Amino acid sequence: MFAARNLRRRMGDSAEIELINAENYFVFQPLLPEVAAGQVTAPHAASPLRLLLKGVFVRKAVVHSIDFERQEITVFQGVQRRHTLVRYDHLVIALGQSSDLSMITGLPEHAMTLKTLEDGRLLRSHVIEKLEHAEITQLPEVKQQALTFTVIGAGFSGIETVGEMAEFIERSLKYYKNIDRSEIRIVVVEMADRVLAELPPALGTYARRKLEARGIEFQLSTGVESASGTHLVTSAGEWIGTRTIVATIGSAPSKLVRDLDLPLKAGKIQVDRSFRVPAHGNVWALGDCALIPMVDRPDAKSDYAPPTAQFAVREARHLAKCIDDAVNGKQLAPFVYSSKGALASLGARSGVGDIMGIKISGFPAWLIWRAYYVAFLPGMSTRFRVLMNWLLDAITPRNVVQLSKPPAPGARHVLYHAGDRIYEKGNRADGVYTVVSGAVEMITHDPETGKEQRRRLGPGQHFGMRLILGEDRRQATARAAEHTRVLVLDREEVLKIADGIDDFRRHFEERIERELGRHWDRGDGQPVKRVAAVD
């Protein structure tokens, strides 16, 4: 967005500028923790691209591929995702970074991220859902897990997220009479030996102590081994019972960047000091997806531009100059910029910062942080809305209205550790399960003798099939017998697939008749014979 706006300002009507983006809005990422904490409402944190980019053609589409020889971009656009070719004379790639949590078992399935506006909205809804659950549950273990919130990563994103989330929880507890502040546990897990490694050690120490005074626990020099829907296992061997995991780690190149035939280093597109991609005179890259050298012979991390908003804004301005100079046959100047410092909000009107070598902390740092980022927000209307949100937050209670719960995908993988309860007899049925790996133990009791009966299921076997027949109460208890991954399908998903794939339907018809003694008739179960069954 910043690149397109600066190109328009510099080149005017002499160039046709087009921006291709999957969404029709721009969101300033440093605001996402405040969106997640309900301090700024999601729509007010976003700016319409067409309002910001007057004179720029905005194409709402998804980029599929790029042909550098033919200078064509293939996009899918419109309701039908129609295949369309877009030609270019100069191409700027500013795709940022995506999240890749696949290096830790269970994290992709059970961790939340904070990369998009929707991520922020869903995290807020999730936290409210956990408070609501903890308010009414009669199970101490479930309450403890619901009130334990974990954040992985103690960089800027992790610290600002945990600070805002803690403030949101603290200011919301007055609405929940069955939850005491002492029952809340908030944990930050960080592989490094200190927080905010980008700032001087003294400021990192101040931030940690300030957050610890608010009851936030830090586990430094500690990694994550695995995660499930109810636990996070650290490299120190601790099993943290939690139903909220926020991962601020795992930045990785987008699939499109990985698929492009461009030189990559550390997952980023290699460019020269003028943002041009080697061997491509008309292809440029900037922002988080580009590895931008700040010196002629870089050999250390500090020799490259950091992925911060401060640098991104300056990069966009210089890129516009470079492209304009290239079009007019002028020599390109290298990008030169020195950081003016860094700031981090800790929530609760406190912050830390290093501005041009001057270390600040507490309320002054928080105030400067707000003023600094308001200045970076694009568009007066966005600045005004954000300022009004901040003003209202200062004089009114936090809003705990949950407009919608985070939706569970109709088909999803779920990881369980040995001994984890998958569901209990009498629970409302939430899906049909298939064991992918590991083993599940089904537990029931003989209706006549009361004797406990156990049945072990392995990979490829199903349980919870009564839901297909329309029965919405569990007839048995299911527990993970070992480290287990299952595939869960909602009833609607099962019925849709069965309508389209005869083999799938026959597969479940046979198993329902064999294991439950029932006949599946378009979702209505009719008794065939009386048999002893565990499901």
Side-chain angles (χ1 to χ4, degrees):
M1 191 285 295
F2 287 111
R5 187 166 66 169
N6 278 279
L7 281 166
R8 173 64 186 176
R9 288 175 176 174
R10 187 170 189 92
M11 305 183 74
D13 293 333
S14 66
E16 294 181 8
I17 302 167
E18 177 172 327
L19 176 70
I20 304 173
N21 198 55
E23 306 295 342
N24 73 342
Y25 61 83
F26 171 81
V27 60
F28 193 57
Q29 284 205 322
L31 282 180
L32 290 179
E34 297 197 18
V35 173
Q39 192 167 173
V40 177
T41 59
H44 290 170
S47 304
L49 287 174
R50 288 179 172 82
L51 175 65
L52 299 175
L53 300 175
K54 294 177 180 178
V56 174
F57 182 78
V58 177
R59 184 187 299 271
K60 186 176 183 296
V62 176
V63 177
H64 175 262
S65 60
I66 302 173
D67 188 327
F68 296 109
E69 289 187 7
R70 301 183 65 177
Q71 296 185 187
E72 289 181 341
I73 306 168
T74 300
V75 303
F76 294 127
Q77 63 184 33
V79 176
Q80 295 182 340
R81 287 292 181 257
R82 190 176 300 279
H83 165 274
T84 306
L85 294 178
V86 179
R87 291 193 54 80
Y88 66 85
D89 294 310
H90 284 267
L91 173 65
V92 178
I93 302 173
L95 290 167
Q97 294 263 289
S98 60
S99 296
D100 181 11
L101 305 177
S102 60
M103 65 285 195
I104 299 176
T105 302
L107 220 53
E109 295 89 347
H110 300 289
M112 305 184 76
T113 58
L114 200 55
K115 291 283 190 182
T116 67
L117 194 63
E118 183 67 4
D119 288 342
R121 189 187 69 80
L122 290 179
L123 179 55
R124 175 184 176 276
S125 181
H126 173 87
V127 171
I128 295 173
E129 178 68 14
K130 296 307 114 181
L131 294 176
E132 295 288 347
H133 192 180
E135 175 76 359
I136 59 177
T137 184
Q138 301 299 311
L139 301 174
E141 179 187 5
V142 171
K143 185 175 185 180
Q144 181 186 38
Q145 292 170 352
L147 295 178
T148 300
F149 303 86
T150 55
V151 175
I152 305 173
F156 281 110
S157 181
I159 290 299
E160 291 183 347
T161 298
V162 76
E164 294 293 344
M165 184 166 64
E167 183 181 4
F168 178 57
I169 293 169
E170 290 161 3
R171 291 177 61 178
S172 301
L173 287 183
K174 64 181 181 179
Y175 300 113
Y176 299 93
K177 65 178 183 179
N178 292 327
I179 302 176
D180 187 79
R181 178 61 183 87
S182 63
E183 297 178 288
I184 303 291
R185 185 186 182 194
I186 303 175
V187 185
V188 179
V189 181
E190 168 59 48
M191 182 65 76
D193 59 359
R194 68 184 184 94
V195 307
L196 294 175
E198 301 89 343
L199 291 177
L203 290 178
T205 300
Y206 173 89
R208 177 174 56 80
R209 289 176 177 171
K210 193 74 174 177
L211 292 172
E212 285 176 338
R214 291 166 54 194
I216 298 171
E217 173 187 340
F218 286 87
Q219 297 195 11
L220 304 179
S221 302
T222 303
V224 176
E225 293 293 325
S226 64
S228 70
T230 56
H231 288 88
L232 182 143
V233 183
T234 71
S235 59
E238 181 182 359
W239 286 57
I240 301 175
T242 179
R243 300 196 175 198
T244 302
I245 302 172
V246 183
T248 63
I249 61 172
S251 292
S254 66
K255 181 180 183 301
L256 178 60
V257 168
R258 294 196 305 269
D259 292 343
L260 295 177
D261 187 19
L262 294 177
L264 299 181
K265 183 178 180 180
K268 297 189 175 186
I269 301 171
Q270 290 185 272
V271 298
D272 61 23
R273 294 190 63 188
S274 301
F275 311 115
R276 189 150 54 180
V277 178
H280 294 276
N282 63 343
V283 178
W284 316 74
L286 80 167
D288 292 0
C289 74
L291 191 65
I292 304 168
M294 301 298 292
V295 297
D296 291 333
R297 293 183 177 83
D299 60 2
K301 183 179 179 180
S302 59
D303 293 335
Y304 295 95
T308 63
Q310 177 185 169
F311 269 78
V313 171
R314 269 72 179 194
E315 289 165 15
R317 189 178 305 163
H318 189 77
L319 172 80
K321 180 181 184 304
C322 287
I323 293 180
D324 189 31
D325 289 345
V327 170
N328 292 295
K330 298 180 181 179
Q331 185 174 355
L332 305 186
F335 176 59
V336 179
Y337 180 72
S338 297
S339 174
K340 299 302 184 288
L343 292 157
S345 170
L346 306 179
R349 301 184 182 183
S350 182
V352 292
D354 180 4
I355 302 176
M356 301 181 70
I358 301 174
K359 300 176 180 61
I360 55 174
S361 58
F363 180 74
W366 175 80
L367 203 60
I368 295 173
W369 178 91
R370 288 205 152 181
Y372 185 75
Y373 279 116
V374 163
F376 272 109
L377 289 174
M380 288 301 299
S381 60
T382 302
R383 292 173 190 168
F384 178 76
R385 288 195 299 267
V386 169
L387 285 170
M388 287 299 99
N389 274 250
W390 285 344
L391 176 61
L392 288 171
D393 181 70
I395 61 177
T396 61
R398 283 290 170 92
N399 191 336
V400 293
V401 170
Q402 185 186 25
L403 295 177
S404 62
K405 293 192 297 184
R412 58 196 180 275
H413 282 112
V414 181
L415 187 74
Y416 295 98
H417 291 111
D420 280 353
R421 180 178 60 250
I422 300 174
Y423 59 70
E424 287 187 336
K425 181 179 179 180
N427 284 172
R428 180 179 180 272
D430 63 343
V432 180
Y433 292 70
T434 301
V435 181
V436 177
S437 61
V440 171
E441 194 170 51
M442 305 299 299
I443 306 169
T444 188
H445 293 82
D446 187 283
E448 296 180 359
T449 65
K451 183 178 180 181
E452 183 178 89
Q453 298 175 328
R454 293 176 178 262
R455 178 186 174 205
R456 190 180 178 94
L457 305 178
Q461 292 185 283
H462 312 291
F463 57 103
M465 291 186 294
R466 291 180 184 272
L467 179 62
I468 299 176
L469 306 177
E471 299 182 16
D472 59 0
R473 296 286 296 274
R474 297 301 189 189
Q475 301 300 311
T477 295
R479 293 182 183 273
E482 55 189 68
H483 200 69
T484 301
R485 185 186 300 274
V486 300
L487 170 66
V488 186
L489 294 177
D490 288 348
R491 182 172 186 265
E492 293 75 13
E493 299 298 318
V494 173
L495 298 181
K496 290 174 185 176
I497 298 172
D499 279 343
I501 304 176
D502 289 339
D503 287 345
F504 180 90
R505 181 177 180 84
R506 283 194 293 269
H507 173 86
F508 275 98
E509 282 178 338
E510 292 170 0
R511 278 157 181 75
I512 288 172
E513 187 162 350
R514 182 173 67 244
E515 297 180 25
L516 303 181
R518 306 282 293 277
H519 175 63
W520 179 17
D521 182 16
R522 292 291 172 184
D524 297 323
Q526 299 296 330
V528 175
K529 56 185 177 181
R530 190 181 184 87
V531 297
V534 175
D535 190 48

